[in-house]
Amino acid sequence: MHILSEHKCFDGLQLRVRHPSAVNHCEMTYSLYLPPQALAGGRVPLLYWLSGLTCTDENFTQKAEANYQDRKSVV
């Protein structure tokens, strides 16, 4: 696994990660959000978001404005 980027978001951490996939025979990239409870060592539920064929791992965070709070505080 290789962390491509990490950003603070809603007191948690948003990661973009790449890993080699033996099944797909290529490198795969995904995004992962760790809420503050997870960063403190707590257990949290896991939600998988599978994008469509023409989407990327960044679609949810961009189109859903998942990091809206952070952008709002900058403006």
Side-chain angles (χ1 to χ4, degrees):
M1 262 184 10
H2 175 69
I3 296 176
L4 301 172
S5 65
E6 59 181 67
H7 304 281
K8 289 185 179 182
C9 184
F10 295 101
D11 297 324
L13 193 61
Q14 183 178 337
L15 302 170
R16 193 161 179 249
V17 183
R18 180 174 290 150
H19 71 95
S21 171
V23 173
N24 293 321
H25 307 290
C26 66
E27 292 206 339
M28 302 296 291
T29 304
Y30 62 94
S31 294
L32 174 67
Y33 173 70
L34 298 170
Q37 298 89 338
L39 295 176
R43 294 176 57 120
V44 295
L46 176 64
L47 170 68
Y48 289 96
W49 177 270
L50 302 175
S51 293
L53 182 61
T54 60
C55 296
T56 70
D57 62 288
E58 297 178 299
N59 279 76
F60 178 76
T61 54
Q62 290 172 350
K63 292 183 179 178
E65 297 186 5
N67 55 2
Y68 179 74
Q69 179 186 26
D70 291 345
R71 286 188 287 131
K72 184 177 179 184
S73 63
V74 172
V75 175

